[in-house]
Amino acid sequence: MTLEADLGEAIGGRHVIVDPSVTASYETDWTRRFAGRARCVVRPVDTQEVGSVLQLCSRHGVAVVTQGGNTGLVGGGVPTGGEVVLSTSRLSHIGPVDTLTGQVTVGAGVTLSALQQAVRPMGLDFGVDFAARDSATIGGLVSTNAGGERVMRYGTMRQQVVGLEAVLADGSPLSRLEALPKENTGYDLVGLLTGSEGTLAVVTAVRVRLWPLFAHRSVALLALESTSAALEALAALKPRLGSLEAAELFLADGLALVMGYTGLPAPMAGDHCAYLLVECADRVDPGDAMLQALDEVSTLVPGLVDIVVGEDARSRASLWRYREAHTEAINAIGVPVKLDVAIPHDQLERALRELPAIAAQVAPGARTILFGHLNEGNLHVNVLGASDHHGVTDVVLRYIASLHGSISAEHGVGRAKTEWLSLSRSGAEIAAMRSIKAALDPGQVLNPGVIFPD
Ligand code: MLT
Ligand code: ZN
C-alpha cells in the first residue's frame, strides 16, 4: 500500500489532500520567502490520529512538517519538497475553563483569537498577544515559544504553558495535561517541547495559564528625539505604572510606510526619530494614572517631545494600527529579509543607527525598516529590495552577535537561521541539542532541516 492509502485508512481519505490546488496554500509561507511541494497534506482530528500519521510516516520513511496557522516567519512550517504536511486545523477543541486554577486545555489548532474570545467572557485573559492573532495557533505559539506585545507583563509562551499533549516521531503519545501546580517528577518534557519548533514531537493539545481580564485600557503614542530617549522614557514609566503591559518601538520611515499602506493620517504634527506606543490595562480605568506618569516622565526625559493619548476604543485601535500594520505594509512592498533579533539595551541605539548601513554593505540601496518590542530589546529587522538574502542575513546576524545579542528572539531558528546557530549557541549546547533530537527522532522524521544545519 502507498503511504497515502495507509493514511486514508487511518484518518479518512478526505483528510489526506493531494490536489495541488488545495495543497498550494500549505506550501508557501505568507511572506513568500519559503516554499516547497508537499507530498500530501493530512488533517488528523485528535491525538490518536496524529499518532497513526506519525507511525505510518516513520514506517514509510517520509518526513513530516507540522503546520498551524502558517504565520511563522522562519520557514519552520512549510515543506522543502516531498514531506507530509500535518495540519493542526482540526485539533480545534476548546475545553471547559477552570476558573479556580485559571487554566484551560485547548487543541493545538485553536487560534489565538479564538482562545481570547472563549475566555474573556469569563473574566479571564490570555497572556500572549500579537498582530497575527486571527490565524496563529496555540500549537504554533508553543512550538516557537512565541513572544509578542505583552511579554513585559506576562512573559513569553513558555510562561503560559502548564501542560501539554504531544506525539513522538514513532507515534507514542506523551500526555502531561493534568498540570498539578506542584509536579517535580523527572525531566521537564513540557518545557523541552516548548520552543522545539516541531523537531521533537507534534504538539496536539495545550493546557494554558489564564490571567485576570483587565477590561480598562489606556494607550499613548510618544514621540522621541532618539531611541535612547525612548529607553529613558520606558525606564521612568515602569516604576510609575504597575499596569503597563506594552512598550512598542517604531521609527519615522516605518510610520511613513504604514501611513502609505493604511491611509491613516499622521498621528501627530512633525517628523520624529522614534515612536513608543505604550499601553496600560487595569480593572479600573488607568487613564488618569497614565496621564500623571506621562506628565512626570516628560519633565524627566527632555528627548520626549510629544504625546498623543488614545481617548476611546477607536483611537486606541488606530494608535495600535500604526505599530501592528508594519508587517503587512512591509510585505505589500516586496519579499523582505526578515530577521528577528534581541540586543542588549545599552547597544540598542547604536544598532538602530548602524543596521541600515550594515545591510547596505551587501544590498546597496536596500531599505531597512526596524521596529519591535522595546522592553526586551527585541528588534525586527526587515530589509526590502535586497537580491542577496543570504548575504544580508549573514552580515546582520554577525553584527548582532558582535553586540552580544541573540540571532533569534521570538520567531525561532526555523530553516532561515540554521547556518548561524553557532552565533548564539556554543558547540557543547548544539551537541546536547543534537543528542536530544537523535534520541527522540532517530529517523529524522520531524521537521528535518529545522534548527540544525545539515
Ligand atoms: C510583530 O512583532 O509584529 C511580529 O513579530 C511580526 C513581525 O516581526 O513582522
Ligand atoms: Zn514581534
Side-chain angles (χ1 to χ4, degrees), residues 358-367 383 385-388 392:
I358 297 285
Q361 285 170 10
V362 279
R367 194 168 168 190
V383 183
S387 50
D388 181 2
V392 171

Side-chain angles (χ1 to χ4, degrees), residues 95-267:
V97 176
D98 182 341
T99 51
L100 179 62
T101 56
Q103 297 176 359
V104 64
T105 298
V106 298
V110 169
T111 63
L112 175 51
S113 62
L115 172 59
Q116 291 169 336
Q117 281 155 31
V119 304
R120 283 179 180 167
M122 321 208 49
L124 293 165
D125 206 357
F126 188 59
V128 170
D129 195 18
F130 51 81
R133 58 185 71 81
D134 290 336
S135 308
T137 60
I138 300 305
L141 267 68
V142 172
S143 298
T144 54
N145 183 24
E149 297 153 354
R150 319 273 169 195
V151 172
M152 178 165 46
R153 190 172 208 171
Y154 301 106
T156 66
M157 195 60 195
R158 190 178 293 287
Q159 282 81 49
Q160 321 309 318
V161 178
V162 287
L164 56 74
E165 189 158 85
V167 182
L168 296 178
D170 64 1
S172 346
L174 296 181
S175 191
R176 293 247 50 88
L177 287 172
E178 309 84 12
L180 287 168
K182 289 190 165 182
E183 163 58 274
N184 248 349
T185 324
Y187 294 151
D188 176 10
L189 296 178
V190 171
L192 176 65
L193 296 188
T194 304
S196 64
E197 303 190 42
T199 61
L200 299 179
V202 175
V203 173
T204 56
V206 189
R207 188 151 182 91
V208 292
R209 168 169 296 122
L210 301 171
W211 302 88
L213 175 70
F214 294 128
H216 298 274
R217 293 182 172 269
S218 286
V219 177
L221 184 63
L222 283 55
L224 301 123
E225 275 172 357
S226 64
T227 33
S228 328
L231 280 168
E232 281 168 39
L234 178 58
L237 279 172
K238 279 172 79 170
R240 288 175 169 79
L241 276 177
S243 61
L244 188 65
E245 67 175 44
E248 298 287 301
L249 178 78
F250 52 90
L251 307 181
D253 49 359
L255 174 63
L257 194 71
V258 166
M259 282 170 21
Y261 172 73
T262 57
L264 283 169

Side-chain angles (χ1 to χ4, degrees), residues 240-314:
R240 288 175 169 79
L241 276 177
S243 61
L244 188 65
E245 67 175 44
E248 298 287 301
L249 178 78
F250 52 90
L251 307 181
D253 49 359
L255 174 63
L257 194 71
V258 166
M259 282 170 21
Y261 172 73
T262 57
L264 283 169
M268 56 186 69
D271 290 329
H272 305 284
C273 165
Y275 296 85
L276 181 64
L277 181 86
V278 291
E279 181 167 51
C280 290
D282 213 334
R283 283 182 200 285
V284 291
D285 185 358
D288 287 347
M290 181 186 247
L291 285 180
Q292 194 188 328
L294 287 171
D295 204 35
E296 287 170 24
V297 171
S298 57
T299 58
L300 289 171
V301 181
L304 170 53
V305 287
D306 205 352
I307 301 172
V308 174
V309 176
E311 305 281 358
D312 51 29
R314 198 150 158 254

Side-chain angles (χ1 to χ4, degrees), residues 73 131 149 248 323-324 327 338 371 373 380 382 410-411:
L73 293 168
E149 297 153 354
E248 298 287 301
R323 160 61 182 87
E324 288 196 335
T327 306
K338 267 186 108 60
F371 64 97
H373 314 286
H380 297 314
N382 293 262
E410 61 170 5
H411 296 169

